[in-house]
Amino acid sequence: MVSLLSNLNGARNCGASQLGFEGMLGAGAGSGVSASAFDAVVSGAGQAWRIRLNIWRGQCLASRSLRVIAARYQYVQLSQMGTMVACVHCHSLAQRLARLLLASTTQLRSPDIEMTHAGLAKLLGVRRAGVTVAAGQLQERGVIQYARGHILVLDSPALLAESCGCFLQDKRIYEQVMSGSLQRRHPHT
């Protein structure tokens, strides 16, 4: 799992996006965009494939299908970042933590998450103490179990009920866009 963190001139980095098995880092590089507004940090163990930039660009130039997939994934990331901005302003820390844990289990394909409260706090853009309180409440309700950098999701449906609707919205957008079934809003254009 890779987290994209904002880097605002010495301000605390906070999570802007997160990707796992379903995503790609540097999708825009295939179309010549090599600048990044974010720091990419590995936030969960797993395997990843790597491709040299010049080979990625060459493959994107040669394959319309690959360009379409990369562009769709960029749209998904932009949509998820927009959802995250709204989520930060509209939902409680407890809801956002539940959303982050759901996303993590999905991206890692496992209910086991190796992440400290400090790491979760950085991704959520909050103080560690707030994460400790919210995680403690989830643990008291039997939704998760945590101990020193290890979180085990015990009840995914309960965690979903604790979260805001942003997780399901992001999941729906990903499935629609990446499957190619995104409907046009204006059928006559």
Side-chain angles (χ1 to χ4, degrees):
M1 186 168 63
V2 175
S3 296
L4 299 180
L5 304 176
S6 65
N7 187 352
L8 302 174
N9 298 328
R12 175 180 27 185
N13 291 336
C14 60
S17 186
Q18 189 171 297
L19 57 113
F21 77 93
E22 83 298 341
M24 66 179 90
L25 185 61
S31 59
V33 178
S34 56
S36 177
F38 306 100
D39 294 330
V41 177
V42 175
S43 55
Q47 294 181 331
W49 292 328
R50 183 175 179 184
I51 185 169
R52 291 185 185 280
L53 180 59
N54 61 333
I55 294 172
W56 173 243
R57 284 187 178 152
Q59 291 299 314
C60 285
L61 287 172
S63 171
R64 181 184 182 283
S65 296
L66 189 56
R67 285 192 309 274
V68 167
I69 290 169
R72 285 178 183 214
Y73 186 70
Q74 287 176 299
Y75 176 84
V76 166
Q77 277 194 308
L78 183 61
S79 173
Q80 289 174 350
M81 287 178 187
T83 300
M84 187 174 286
V85 169
C87 188
V88 165
H89 292 290
C90 299
H91 301 127
S92 71
L93 172 57
Q95 291 174 308
R96 292 171 34 226
L97 175 61
R99 174 187 184 225
L100 178 62
L101 294 176
L102 285 166
S104 296
T105 60
T106 300
Q107 291 160 338
L108 292 170
R109 293 185 179 175
S110 171
D112 292 308
I113 304 166
E114 297 289 333
M115 197 175 300
T116 64
H117 286 192
L120 289 167
K122 181 176 262 192
L123 292 176
L124 293 167
V126 299
R127 292 183 30 219
R128 185 180 124 350
V131 170
T132 300
V133 169
Q137 292 169 347
L138 289 173
Q139 182 163 268
E140 286 173 12
R141 290 195 282 281
V143 178
I144 66 169
Q145 180 180 20
Y146 73 88
R148 295 198 176 212
H150 180 81
I151 301 165
L152 178 62
V153 175
L154 301 172
D155 189 344
S156 292
L159 189 60
L160 184 59
E162 296 279 345
S163 74
C164 54
C166 297
F167 171 76
L168 289 178
Q169 177 178 315
D170 282 348
K171 184 177 177 184
R172 180 182 51 79
I173 293 289
Y174 179 89
E175 290 168 355
Q176 286 179 337
V177 172
M178 296 309 290
S179 72
S181 65
L182 187 64
Q183 297 176 359
R184 290 184 181 187
R185 292 185 185 257
H186 305 287
H188 301 293
T189 57

